[in-house]
Amino acid sequence: MILKSINYWSFPGGLEGTLDVFEAMALAKQYGFQAIELAISESGSLNLDSDQAFCERIVSEAGRLGIQLGSVASGTYWGRNLADPTAEGRAAAKEDLEKMIRITSWLGAKTLLTIPGAVDVFFLPDRPAISYDVVLKNAHAGLASVLPLASECGVRLGIENVWNKFLLSPTEMASFIDGFDSTWIGAYVDVGNMLPYGHPEQWIRILRHRVVGIHFKDFRRSVGTADGFLDLLEGDVDWPEVMKTIGEINYHGPIAAEMIPGYKHYPLVRIANTSNAMDAILGL
Protein backbone atom coordinates (compact mmCIF):
# COMPACT_ATOMS: atom_id res chain seq x y z
CA MET A 1 0.00 0.00 0.00
CA ILE A 2 1.34 3.42 -0.98
CA LEU A 3 1.31 5.84 1.95
CA LYS A 4 0.57 9.52 1.35
CA SER A 5 3.34 11.22 3.31
CA ILE A 6 4.84 14.67 3.78
CA ASN A 7 8.30 15.78 4.78
CA TYR A 8 8.78 17.68 8.05
CA TRP A 9 10.61 20.50 6.22
CA SER A 10 7.41 21.34 4.33
CA PHE A 11 5.82 22.86 7.45
CA PRO A 12 6.52 26.35 8.82
CA GLY A 13 9.57 26.09 11.06
CA GLY A 14 10.51 22.67 9.70
CA LEU A 15 13.47 23.74 7.60
CA GLU A 16 14.82 25.74 10.53
CA GLY A 17 14.28 22.81 12.90
CA THR A 18 12.20 24.97 15.26
CA LEU A 19 8.90 23.17 14.66
CA ASP A 20 8.06 20.79 17.49
CA VAL A 21 8.01 17.26 16.12
CA PHE A 22 4.73 16.47 17.89
CA GLU A 23 3.08 19.53 16.34
CA ALA A 24 4.38 18.48 12.93
CA MET A 25 2.72 15.08 13.26
CA ALA A 26 -0.55 16.67 14.32
CA LEU A 27 -0.46 19.03 11.34
CA ALA A 28 0.26 16.17 8.95
CA LYS A 29 -2.76 14.31 10.28
CA GLN A 30 -4.92 17.44 10.19
CA TYR A 31 -4.16 18.00 6.51
CA GLY A 32 -4.98 14.47 5.46
CA PHE A 33 -1.61 12.73 5.28
CA GLN A 34 -1.25 9.09 6.26
CA ALA A 35 2.42 9.36 7.18
CA ILE A 36 5.16 11.87 7.87
CA GLU A 37 8.86 11.90 7.03
CA LEU A 38 10.58 13.31 10.10
CA ALA A 39 13.96 15.05 9.78
CA ILE A 40 16.98 14.85 12.03
CA SER A 41 18.95 18.05 12.54
CA GLU A 42 21.94 18.99 14.65
CA SER A 43 19.97 20.96 17.23
CA GLY A 44 16.27 20.87 16.30
CA SER A 45 13.30 19.12 17.84
CA LEU A 46 14.59 15.73 16.60
CA ASN A 47 18.37 15.85 16.62
CA LEU A 48 21.50 13.74 16.59
CA ASP A 49 21.43 13.46 20.38
CA SER A 50 17.78 12.33 20.62
CA ASP A 51 17.62 9.15 22.69
CA GLN A 52 15.50 6.04 22.48
CA ALA A 53 13.09 7.21 25.19
CA PHE A 54 12.29 10.39 23.24
CA CYS A 55 11.81 8.40 20.06
CA GLU A 56 9.45 6.05 21.88
CA ARG A 57 7.38 9.08 22.93
CA ILE A 58 7.18 10.10 19.26
CA VAL A 59 6.08 6.60 18.26
CA SER A 60 3.43 6.56 20.98
CA GLU A 61 2.01 9.92 19.90
CA ALA A 62 2.04 8.87 16.23
CA GLY A 63 0.02 5.82 17.20
CA ARG A 64 -2.46 7.97 19.13
CA LEU A 65 -2.85 10.31 16.15
CA GLY A 66 -3.12 7.45 13.68
CA ILE A 67 -0.22 8.57 11.52
CA GLN A 68 2.73 6.45 10.39
CA LEU A 69 6.41 7.34 10.57
CA GLY A 70 7.20 6.33 7.03
CA SER A 71 10.81 7.45 6.59
CA VAL A 72 13.46 9.76 8.02
CA ALA A 73 15.53 12.51 6.35
CA SER A 74 18.35 14.80 7.45
CA GLY A 75 20.05 17.98 6.29
CA THR A 76 23.26 17.34 8.22
CA TYR A 77 24.86 15.77 5.14
CA TRP A 78 25.52 19.19 3.61
CA GLY A 79 27.79 20.21 6.48
CA ARG A 80 29.78 16.98 6.50
CA ASN A 81 29.35 13.64 4.77
CA LEU A 82 31.06 10.34 4.12
CA ALA A 83 32.91 11.73 1.09
CA ASP A 84 34.53 14.60 3.00
CA PRO A 85 38.10 15.14 1.75
CA THR A 86 39.49 14.98 5.30
CA ALA A 87 39.71 11.89 7.50
CA GLU A 88 38.33 13.91 10.42
CA GLY A 89 35.30 15.00 8.40
CA ARG A 90 34.61 11.45 7.23
CA ALA A 91 34.86 10.10 10.77
CA ALA A 92 32.44 12.74 12.07
CA ALA A 93 30.01 12.01 9.22
CA LYS A 94 30.14 8.29 9.92
CA GLU A 95 29.33 8.95 13.59
CA ASP A 96 26.41 11.15 12.50
CA LEU A 97 25.08 8.48 10.16
CA GLU A 98 25.34 5.77 12.80
CA LYS A 99 23.31 7.95 15.19
CA MET A 100 20.71 8.55 12.50
CA ILE A 101 20.43 4.84 11.70
CA ARG A 102 19.71 4.11 15.37
CA ILE A 103 17.19 6.96 15.63
CA THR A 104 15.42 5.75 12.49
CA SER A 105 15.23 2.28 14.00
CA TRP A 106 13.88 3.60 17.30
CA LEU A 107 11.18 5.45 15.36
CA GLY A 108 10.18 2.23 13.62
CA ALA A 109 10.84 3.73 10.17
CA LYS A 110 12.31 1.50 7.49
CA THR A 111 14.21 4.00 5.32
CA LEU A 112 16.74 6.72 6.06
CA LEU A 113 17.29 9.20 3.24
CA THR A 114 21.04 9.31 2.73
CA ILE A 115 23.35 11.69 0.85
CA PRO A 116 26.79 10.06 0.88
CA GLY A 117 28.70 12.92 -0.72
CA ALA A 118 28.72 15.91 -3.04
CA VAL A 119 31.04 17.15 -5.76
CA ASP A 120 29.77 20.64 -4.95
CA VAL A 121 26.82 22.27 -3.20
CA PHE A 122 25.04 24.96 -5.22
CA PHE A 123 23.76 26.83 -2.16
CA LEU A 124 27.21 26.84 -0.51
CA PRO A 125 29.23 28.69 -3.17
CA ASP A 126 32.30 29.09 -0.95
CA ARG A 127 32.60 25.33 -0.47
CA PRO A 128 35.40 23.99 -2.71
CA ALA A 129 34.46 21.38 -5.30
CA ILE A 130 35.68 17.85 -4.62
CA SER A 131 36.90 15.62 -7.45
CA TYR A 132 34.21 13.20 -8.59
CA ASP A 133 36.46 10.14 -8.27
CA VAL A 134 37.33 11.10 -4.68
CA VAL A 135 33.64 11.44 -3.80
CA LEU A 136 32.91 8.06 -5.39
CA LYS A 137 35.72 6.29 -3.53
CA ASN A 138 35.01 7.83 -0.13
CA ALA A 139 31.22 7.49 -0.43
CA HIS A 140 31.51 3.79 -1.23
CA ALA A 141 33.93 3.13 1.62
CA GLY A 142 31.84 5.10 4.11
CA LEU A 143 28.56 3.41 3.21
CA ALA A 144 30.18 -0.03 3.34
CA SER A 145 31.40 0.71 6.85
CA VAL A 146 27.89 1.46 8.19
CA LEU A 147 25.92 -1.23 6.36
CA PRO A 148 26.44 -3.82 9.15
CA LEU A 149 24.73 -1.44 11.59
CA ALA A 150 21.96 -0.71 9.08
CA SER A 151 21.36 -4.45 8.77
CA GLU A 152 21.39 -4.90 12.55
CA CYS A 153 18.85 -2.07 12.97
CA GLY A 154 16.68 -3.06 10.00
CA VAL A 155 17.10 0.34 8.31
CA ARG A 156 17.55 0.80 4.56
CA LEU A 157 19.82 3.60 3.38
CA GLY A 158 18.05 5.39 0.53
CA ILE A 159 20.54 7.22 -1.71
CA GLU A 160 18.78 10.32 -3.04
CA ASN A 161 19.38 12.04 -6.35
CA VAL A 162 20.04 15.61 -5.23
CA TRP A 163 21.79 18.55 -6.85
CA ASN A 164 25.21 17.33 -5.75
CA LYS A 165 26.61 16.52 -9.23
CA PHE A 166 27.03 12.89 -8.16
CA LEU A 167 25.29 9.75 -9.51
CA LEU A 168 23.67 11.69 -12.35
CA SER A 169 22.03 8.83 -14.26
CA PRO A 170 19.79 5.92 -13.26
CA THR A 171 22.24 3.37 -14.64
CA GLU A 172 25.08 4.88 -12.61
CA MET A 173 22.90 4.91 -9.50
CA ALA A 174 21.97 1.26 -10.10
CA SER A 175 25.60 0.25 -10.57
CA PHE A 176 26.63 2.11 -7.41
CA ILE A 177 23.93 0.41 -5.34
CA ASP A 178 24.62 -3.04 -6.81
CA GLY A 179 28.28 -2.66 -5.87
CA PHE A 180 27.39 -3.22 -2.22
CA ASP A 181 25.49 -6.50 -2.78
CA SER A 182 23.23 -5.60 0.14
CA THR A 183 19.48 -5.30 0.60
CA TRP A 184 20.09 -2.50 3.11
CA ILE A 185 20.96 0.11 0.51
CA GLY A 186 18.73 1.40 -2.27
CA ALA A 187 17.60 4.46 -4.20
CA TYR A 188 15.50 7.30 -2.86
CA VAL A 189 14.02 8.79 -6.04
CA ASP A 190 13.08 12.47 -6.00
CA VAL A 191 10.95 12.99 -9.10
CA GLY A 192 11.43 16.77 -9.19
CA ASN A 193 15.17 16.91 -8.55
CA MET A 194 16.07 15.17 -11.81
CA LEU A 195 13.89 17.26 -14.13
CA PRO A 196 16.82 19.46 -15.27
CA TYR A 197 18.75 16.41 -16.52
CA GLY A 198 16.42 13.44 -16.75
CA HIS A 199 12.99 11.83 -16.62
CA PRO A 200 11.71 10.40 -13.32
CA GLU A 201 9.69 7.65 -14.98
CA GLN A 202 12.90 6.37 -16.62
CA TRP A 203 14.75 6.42 -13.29
CA ILE A 204 11.97 4.53 -11.55
CA ARG A 205 11.72 1.93 -14.31
CA ILE A 206 15.49 1.35 -14.47
CA LEU A 207 16.06 1.29 -10.70
CA ARG A 208 13.04 -0.99 -10.14
CA HIS A 209 13.52 -3.15 -7.02
CA ARG A 210 16.25 -0.81 -5.76
CA VAL A 211 13.71 1.98 -5.06
CA VAL A 212 13.22 2.25 -1.29
CA GLY A 213 11.76 5.75 -1.11
CA ILE A 214 10.13 8.41 -3.29
CA HIS A 215 9.87 12.18 -2.97
CA PHE A 216 7.25 14.19 -4.83
CA LYS A 217 8.15 17.67 -6.06
CA ASP A 218 7.37 19.52 -9.26
CA PHE A 219 9.74 21.58 -11.39
CA ARG A 220 9.65 23.79 -14.47
CA ARG A 221 12.55 23.03 -16.81
CA SER A 222 12.43 26.45 -18.49
CA VAL A 223 13.42 28.08 -15.18
CA GLY A 224 16.29 25.68 -14.56
CA THR A 225 17.31 26.97 -11.12
CA ALA A 226 16.05 26.33 -7.59
CA ASP A 227 13.33 28.88 -8.37
CA GLY A 228 11.88 26.28 -10.75
CA PHE A 229 10.40 24.19 -7.93
CA LEU A 230 6.62 24.62 -7.91
CA ASP A 231 3.48 23.22 -6.36
CA LEU A 232 2.58 19.70 -7.46
CA LEU A 233 0.80 19.66 -10.86
CA GLU A 234 2.22 23.07 -11.85
CA GLY A 235 5.49 21.92 -13.40
CA ASP A 236 6.79 19.48 -16.01
CA VAL A 237 6.60 16.17 -14.13
CA ASP A 238 4.54 13.69 -16.18
CA TRP A 239 2.50 12.51 -13.22
CA PRO A 240 0.41 9.85 -15.01
CA GLU A 241 3.59 8.28 -16.38
CA VAL A 242 5.31 8.48 -12.99
CA MET A 243 2.39 6.70 -11.32
CA LYS A 244 2.34 4.11 -14.10
CA THR A 245 6.00 3.22 -13.53
CA ILE A 246 5.55 3.18 -9.74
CA GLY A 247 2.85 0.57 -10.33
CA GLU A 248 5.07 -1.36 -12.74
CA ILE A 249 7.81 -1.83 -10.15
CA ASN A 250 5.29 -2.81 -7.45
CA TYR A 251 6.52 -0.12 -5.09
CA HIS A 252 4.65 -0.26 -1.80
CA GLY A 253 5.70 2.31 0.74
CA PRO A 254 5.56 5.97 1.60
CA ILE A 255 5.66 8.73 -1.01
CA ALA A 256 6.62 11.96 0.73
CA ALA A 257 5.91 15.41 -0.65
CA GLU A 258 8.87 17.70 0.02
CA MET A 259 7.64 21.25 -0.49
CA ILE A 260 10.39 23.75 0.25
CA PRO A 261 10.52 26.62 0.71
CA GLY A 262 7.02 27.33 1.98
CA TYR A 263 4.78 30.19 0.97
CA LYS A 264 5.92 33.58 2.30
CA HIS A 265 2.40 34.24 3.57
CA TYR A 266 -0.13 31.70 4.90
CA PRO A 267 2.29 28.78 4.47
CA LEU A 268 -0.19 26.15 5.61
CA VAL A 269 -2.18 26.82 2.44
CA ARG A 270 0.64 25.09 0.59
CA ILE A 271 0.19 22.04 2.80
CA ALA A 272 -3.51 21.93 1.94
CA ASN A 273 -2.76 22.37 -1.78
CA THR A 274 -0.18 19.60 -1.62
CA SER A 275 -2.59 17.24 0.10
CA ASN A 276 -5.25 17.86 -2.57
CA ALA A 277 -2.75 17.41 -5.39
CA MET A 278 -1.45 14.14 -3.93
CA ASP A 279 -5.01 12.81 -3.65
CA ALA A 280 -5.39 13.42 -7.39
CA ILE A 281 -2.00 11.97 -8.32
CA LEU A 282 -2.34 8.90 -6.12
CA GLY A 283 -5.98 8.38 -7.01
CA LEU A 284 -7.16 8.65 -3.41
Side-chain angles (χ1 to χ4, degrees):
M1 174 184 172
I2 290 177
L3 288 174
K4 174 187 169 185
S5 182
I6 188 163
N7 178 278
Y8 167 86
W9 294 323
S10 303
F11 295 100
L15 202 57
E16 299 80 11
T18 57
L19 175 64
D20 181 78
V21 66
F22 298 98
E23 183 180 353
M25 291 191 296
L27 284 169
K29 180 67 176 181
Q30 177 184 339
Y31 282 92
F33 291 91
Q34 300 164 316
I36 187 170
E37 179 174 82
L38 296 180
I40 302 169
S41 63
E42 292 201 53
S43 58
S45 181
L46 180 66
N47 60 68
L48 291 169
D49 293 322
S50 294
D51 59 17
Q52 186 170 358
F54 180 67
C55 291
E56 288 173 352
R57 283 179 53 208
I58 294 173
V59 171
S60 177
E61 179 62 8
R64 189 190 71 81
L65 288 169
I67 193 163
Q68 297 194 42
L69 305 175
S71 50
V72 176
S74 177
T76 63
Y77 305 113
W78 298 115
R80 54 182 178 264
N81 55 60
L82 297 173
D84 194 282
T86 69
E88 294 80 7
R90 294 194 297 275
K94 179 183 177 182
E95 182 179 349
D96 290 348
L97 187 52
E98 289 173 339
K99 288 181 178 180
M100 290 190 283
I101 290 170
R102 291 189 176 94
I103 290 170
T104 302
S105 174
W106 294 334
L107 292 171
K110 300 299 183 185
T111 299
L112 171 64
L113 189 154
T114 307
I115 302 171
V119 173
D120 68 25
V121 181
F122 75 95
F123 56 86
L124 298 175
D126 294 332
R127 180 187 182 275
I130 304 173
S131 181
Y132 194 108
D133 57 335
V134 172
V135 174
L136 181 63
K137 176 184 176 182
N138 289 342
H140 190 281
L143 288 169
S145 71
V146 299
L147 277 175
L149 178 63
S151 174
E152 177 186 333
C153 292
V155 171
R156 302 171 302 188
L157 305 181
I159 309 302
E160 188 185 20
N161 56 295
V162 294
W163 287 12
N164 57 351
K165 295 188 174 67
F166 182 56
L167 304 177
L168 293 173
S169 78
T171 53
E172 185 181 7
M173 178 74 83
S175 178
F176 181 75
I177 291 168
D178 292 349
F180 294 95
D181 192 26
S182 172
T183 59
W184 299 105
I185 187 166
Y188 201 120
V189 177
D190 187 304
V191 304
N193 279 351
M194 83 231 337
L195 259 289
Y197 55 84
H199 300 270
E201 61 272 17
Q202 294 181 12
W203 279 66
I204 293 166
R205 187 176 292 116
I206 291 168
L207 289 169
R208 298 194 70 81
H209 61 278
R210 304 172 187 86
V211 177
V212 297
I214 297 174
H215 265 169
F216 272 7
K217 290 194 189 88
D218 216 332
F219 185 85
R220 187 161 292 157
R221 288 190 176 100
S222 61
V223 178
T225 68
D227 292 330
F229 289 108
L230 305 166
D231 282 357
L232 302 182
L233 303 176
E234 287 194 331
D236 294 322
V237 173
D238 187 340
W239 292 107
E241 193 65 21
V242 164
M243 290 307 301
K244 177 183 175 183
T245 53
I246 288 173
E248 287 176 0
I249 69 168
N250 294 315
Y251 175 80
H252 298 289
I255 295 179
E258 184 188 38
M259 308 304 294
I260 51 177
Y263 290 167
K264 183 176 181 180
H265 304 292
Y266 313 110
L268 288 176
V269 173
R270 191 174 210 197
I271 306 302
N273 292 344
T274 299
S275 182
N276 289 336
M278 287 192 76
D279 285 348
I281 295 166
L282 300 175
L284 298 177

